[in-house]
Each structure stands twice: as C-alpha cells, then as structure tokens.
Amino acid sequence: MTPSTVPAPATGVRSLLPGLVVSAAGVAAATGVNALLPAVSPLMAAVVLGALMANLGARPAALRPGLSFASRRLLRLGVVLLGAQLAVRDVLALGLPVVLLVVATVAVTFSGTWWLGRRLGLGRDLSLLTATGFSICGAAAVAAMNGVTDGDEEDVVTAVALVTLFGSLCIVALPLAQGFLRLPAEGFGVWSGASVHEVAQVVATAQTAGTAALATAVVVKLTRVVLLAPLIAGVGVLRRRTAGPQAGGKPPVVPLFVAGFLGMVALRSLGALPAAWLEPLRTAETLLFTAALFAMGAAVDLRALTRTGRRAVVLGALSTALVSLVALGGVLVLTPGG
C-alpha cells in the first residue's frame, strides 16, 4: 500500500458529511412539519422540503455525495427495518380468503396501473413507481422500488406526491362511502387496509369505524407490505434478463436489501425480536426513509414535473378507483349479506 492510498477512506467519509448533516436537518424539519400538521406524513414533508431546497439554489456541489448516499444506502437500510413490522402469524390469522383478496388486489392494481401509465404516455419508470406505491404501501414502496430501478428523482417525487394526494382523499371518501354501504366493522377494515395507500392513511381511515376495523385494517395493510419483497424481486429478475454487459453485469436475482427485509420478517415471525425493540426499529425505519426521500427531493427540478403533471394526476385517480373497486368487490363477496 502506498502512502497516497492511506487517507482515501477518511477522505471519502468526510465527503459524505455535509450532505448527511443536511439530510439530518431535513429529517428534523420534516418531523416538525408532521408534528404541526399530522395529516402530512414526514416522508411527504421531506420530499417537499428537499425539492424546495434544491430549487431555491441551496444545493452546492459539496452536498451531493452525502445526499446520494442517503437516497440509496439509507433507503435500503430502511427497507430492511420495514420487515420488523411483519409477522407471518398475523397474516395467516386473516384467513385464506382475505389473503387471496389482498394478493389479487395488489396484482390487479399493479398491472393495471402500469398499463394505464403507459397508455397515458408516461415513462416506464414513473408508471412502475406509481404502480408500486398504489398497490403496496405508498411512499415507502415507491422509494424501495427505486432502489432497484434507479429511476429519475423527478419520477420518485411525482409518484410520492400522487400516493399522498389520493391516499388523503381516501381518508374522506371511504368513510363517506361506508355510510351508504354499511359494511360490518371488519369488512370496512379489510377494505381500508386493502385499498388505501399509506399505513398512516389506513389508520386514519379505518379508525372512523372503531377499534375492530382499525385492527383488521392494519394487519391487511401489512399483508400488502409483505408482497413488496416478491414484487421487487420479480422486477429484479426482469432487469437481470435484460441488463447488458455494458451496465457492469447483471443485477442480482434478489437484491441484498430485499433479502434483509425477508430476514427481518423471519426474525419477527420466530419471536427473535424482543417486543421492546419493535417501536425503536419502527422509529429508525421512518427516520431512514425520511432522510432518503429528503435527499431524493433535493435532486428534483420542479419545472421538469410540469411536463407530466396532468397525465400523472389522471393516472393517480384511475389507480385509486381501480384499487378501491377491486378491494370493495372482494369484501362484498366475502361479507355475508354484503
């Protein structure tokens, strides 16, 4: 080893610090926004704050290495910790019919949204990210899929904005529809969990029908989250088949962070994670996703979003209608007298 190579690691770490410090400040600001406006999730607040910082000219070149690290490495660590929320026994307790309903809703929503996006003339990556967010778990799923596709940050921000907008509308629309449908509490919980985009939005929607609806909705929603791993792995397989040698070889069949996600699910299911760890792990996961999305937002040119804005909103509306109607149809079939 020559003397010139010795300080390289330290230099690399130092280059990350400015961007990571700014990302941490963005996390603190986004958390503050969420505390003042609970309807605004920290993830969405982080995207907006990052985009504002960049578009107001406050993103010097020194920040870029740390922001890039946050948008990729911290994101993937957040996906791994997301697995700690899930226990297979909770999914199985729903019963096979409800599990099949969730799988069918995710499959139809994902494929239908991707197809609609392409028919509307939207890009492949934006269609894929939107389909993932609407069918699985909102902003976290969008960010996780981008860990495989490595798409443009503008596409990530657009997809996150869509799940935030239309998921928020569901908080109002589904309880109003429940007034006409008069589903039993558990049925409304299944409908909310299977169709509303973000976990926080599911909680806000289902709690209007009581604790039984809320408990069912959360488990159904987490069952959708379980499907994030096979979905990302499937996209990874397709990318592996189409990757050219000029891209540095083929991507792994199952990305390492997806394997980590599945490992955390296994640990939770086997009872190897102490109950006292679950809340700190959930907090850490949220902070990591918030930092990653702030960094992604900081790479966005807001003017570029206007090129696809109207068509993207149409896609969001169609996808929300699709997931809501497919899930509701399944609930009506499963509900006696429904």
Side-chain angles (χ1 to χ4, degrees), residues 185 250 317:
K250 294 184 177 182

Side-chain angles (χ1 to χ4, degrees):
M1 179 181 293
T2 64
S4 63
T5 62
V6 173
T11 302
V13 171
R14 283 198 297 269
S15 72
L16 299 179
L17 287 178
L20 291 177
V21 169
V22 170
S23 294
V27 170
T31 302
V33 170
N34 174 250
L36 293 173
L37 302 170
V40 179
S41 73
L43 277 63
M44 183 58 192
V47 168
V48 173
L49 291 172
L52 287 176
M53 181 191 77
N55 286 269
L56 291 175
R59 189 196 170 188
L63 299 182
R64 291 174 185 168
L67 291 174
S68 178
F69 181 90
S71 68
R72 290 173 171 80
R73 302 298 180 86
L74 297 188
L75 161 69
R76 293 172 183 180
L77 182 56
V79 174
V80 172
L81 296 186
L82 180 62
Q85 294 189 31
L86 311 173
V88 173
R89 61 181 175 274
D90 294 331
V91 174
L92 296 178
L94 292 172
L96 182 59
V98 174
V99 172
L100 292 177
L101 166 61
V102 172
V103 173
T105 301
V106 168
V108 172
T109 304
F110 178 81
S111 58
T113 301
W114 188 89
W115 183 84
L116 287 167
R118 301 299 287 150
R119 297 290 79 73
L120 288 169
L122 298 174
R124 180 182 62 181
D125 286 345
L126 177 55
S127 299
L128 177 62
L129 294 174
T130 304
T132 306
F134 277 64
S135 62
I136 303 288
C137 59
V142 171
M145 181 60 78
N146 193 61
V148 175
T149 63
D150 197 24
D152 292 338
E153 280 78 3
E154 286 87 353
D155 291 339
V156 175
V157 172
T158 300
V160 170
L162 291 175
V163 297
T164 300
L165 170 62
F166 287 99
S168 299
L169 291 176
C170 287
I171 296 173
V172 177
L174 265 65
L176 287 176
Q178 166 68 347
F180 296 99
L181 297 170
R182 300 192 181 280
L183 296 172
E186 290 80 2
F188 183 69
V190 172
W191 186 30
S192 301
S195 61
V196 181
H197 311 322
E198 295 272 3
V199 174
Q201 294 164 347
V202 169
V203 171
T205 302
Q207 68 184 2
T208 62
T211 55
L214 177 58
T216 301
V218 170
V219 177
V220 170
K221 181 61 178 178
L222 292 180
T223 303
R224 287 169 70 188
V225 175
V226 171
L227 299 176
L228 178 64
L231 184 60
I232 290 178
V235 173
V237 169
L238 292 176
R239 284 175 55 83
R240 179 180 173 83
R241 290 177 176 175
T242 58
Q246 73 278 8
K250 294 184 177 182
V253 175
V254 178
L256 184 60
F257 70 94
V258 175
F261 171 89
L262 294 174
M264 291 296 287
V265 173
L267 290 175
R268 173 71 187 279
S269 301
L270 294 171
L273 293 178
W277 292 14
L278 298 181
E279 190 58 36
L281 287 173
R282 184 178 294 110
T283 300
E285 167 223 316
T286 300
L287 293 176
L288 289 167
F289 275 130
T290 304
L293 286 170
F294 175 84
M296 289 180 183
V300 168
D301 180 358
L302 292 177
R303 291 169 297 183
L305 296 180
T306 60
R307 294 196 296 266
T308 58
R310 184 176 300 177
R311 287 173 291 158
V313 170
V314 171
L315 176 61
L318 293 174
S319 182
T320 299
L322 178 63
V323 68
S324 299
L325 291 175
V326 171
L328 177 59
V331 169
L332 292 177
V333 170
L334 297 177
T335 301

